[in-house]
Amino acid sequence: MRFTPALLLSSLGFCSICRVKAAFQHSIVRPRFHQINSSSRLFDSPNVDPNFTDEENDAVSDRFLSPKIDDIGLPLADALVAQVVAPSFQILWISLARAPRPTWLSPIFAADQLFPKRGSLLAPTLVHGAGLASCWIAGALASRNYEKEAFDVSETDPDDGIFRYSVVVSRTLQAGAFATGLLILSTQIDLFAEFGRYVQPGESDEIDFRLLTAIVELINDIFFEAVTLIGWRVYRASLTAKR
C-alpha cells in the first residue's frame, strides 16, 4: 500500500479525534449520590469522603453553614428559653433582692413617672434576650449541640445515674463558653460605641462606674443563662431516658 500525503493527514486526523474523545470521556465527573438520613442539613457539602468519620469531614465552617440538626424544634425551644425564661428569672431575682435595675431594663418609650404603663419593661427584656439567644444559638452550633448524642441519652446505661448526662452537660458547657465569648465581645463593642474610644478603669469615676455596671450585668447574664439552659438541656435529655 502506498502512503500519500492526503492519506497520512487523514490517518493523523482520525487518531487525534479518537484521543480527544477518550480524554473527554475520562474527564467527565460522574455524580455521587449521598445517602439521605433522618437529620436535617441546610446545605450539603459536596466534598465528603466515605473513608473518614463525620468529625473529620465536618469543617468548622460547616458547623454554622451546614449544621446537623436531629431535632428540628430544638433550636426554637433553645431560643425561647434563652430569650424569655432566663431574663425573666433574672428580673424576678432583681425585684426580690431589691437590686438596682440593669441598664438594659428601661422602657423604650418614655413613660410618665407617676403612672407607668403596664408592660413597658416587656420590650427591652425581649430585645436584650434576643441578643443572649443569638449568642447561645451560635455557641450551640459551634459545639454541635443539635446532634442526637447531645440531647439523647436513650442509648446510655440507666445504672450510671447522673453520669449518663455527662455528654449533655459537657456539650452545654462548651456552647456556653462560646456564647460567653461572644457576649463579652459584644459588651466591649457596646462600650466602645458609647464612649467613642477604648476605655480602661481608672480614667475617671464615671468610666469606673460604667465599667463596674457592665461587669455586674455581664456576670448576671452569664449566671442566669447558664443555670436556665443547663436545667433545660438536662430536662430535655431526661425525656429520652429509658426507665
Side-chain angles (χ1 to χ4, degrees):
M1 182 177 181
R2 185 178 180 180
F3 291 95
T4 60
L7 181 60
L8 183 61
L9 291 176
S10 61
S11 300
L12 293 176
F14 179 78
C15 294
S16 300
I17 293 174
C18 293
R19 290 182 178 180
V20 170
K21 182 179 180 181
F24 177 77
Q25 292 177 350
H26 181 72
S27 63
I28 294 177
V29 179
R30 296 180 180 179
R32 294 186 299 177
F33 298 92
H34 304 288
Q35 184 178 1
I36 300 177
N37 50 23
S38 59
S39 60
S40 301
R41 285 185 180 270
L42 298 180
F43 304 98
D44 190 14
S45 177
N47 299 323
V48 177
D49 194 336
N51 297 325
F52 293 98
T53 61
D54 292 338
E55 289 77 10
E56 294 171 335
N57 280 322
D58 290 340
V60 176
S61 60
D62 290 340
R63 298 186 182 185
F64 301 95
L65 301 179
S66 181
K68 182 180 179 182
I69 302 177
D70 291 326
D71 186 356
I72 199 64
L74 188 55
L76 179 59
D78 281 354
L80 291 177
V81 172
Q83 181 183 7
V84 180
V85 179
S88 299
F89 282 154
Q90 182 177 352
I91 295 175
L92 178 61
W93 175 83
I94 290 174
S95 301
L96 295 177
R98 298 185 180 275
R101 287 184 180 180
T103 57
W104 52 265
L105 190 59
S106 58
I108 297 179
F109 301 100
D112 190 3
Q113 298 295 332
L114 296 178
F115 304 99
K117 296 181 179 179
R118 290 186 177 181
S120 60
L121 302 181
L122 177 61
T125 303
L126 294 178
V127 171
H128 182 71
L132 299 176
S134 300
C135 294
W136 165 255
I137 294 297
L141 293 176
S143 59
R144 296 178 301 181
N145 252 261
Y146 298 119
E147 297 181 3
K148 183 178 179 180
E149 57 270 16
F151 59 86
D152 193 340
V153 295
S154 59
E155 299 180 359
T156 58
D157 189 1
D159 296 334
D160 292 340
I162 61 175
F163 294 101
R164 65 191 305 186
Y165 300 99
S166 58
V167 177
V168 177
V169 176
S170 176
R171 290 286 186 91
T172 306
L173 292 177
Q174 292 176 10
F178 190 92
T180 300
L182 291 180
L183 185 59
I184 293 175
L185 178 61
S186 62
T187 302
Q188 292 177 341
I189 295 176
D190 182 57
L191 292 174
F192 184 85
E194 179 178 348
F195 291 98
R197 61 184 179 86
Y198 179 74
V199 294
Q200 294 182 349
E203 295 185 8
S204 65
D205 294 339
E206 180 184 359
I207 293 179
D208 290 345
F209 180 78
R210 181 64 183 92
L211 293 179
L212 182 60
T213 303
I215 292 174
V216 172
E217 293 177 359
L218 189 64
I219 293 175
N220 288 336
D221 287 336
I222 295 174
F223 175 78
F224 283 96
E225 289 287 333
V227 172
T228 306
L229 287 169
I230 290 177
W232 153 246
R233 279 291 181 148
V234 172
Y235 170 76
R236 173 63 180 83
S238 66
L239 298 178
T240 63
K242 293 181 179 180
R243 304 299 180 182

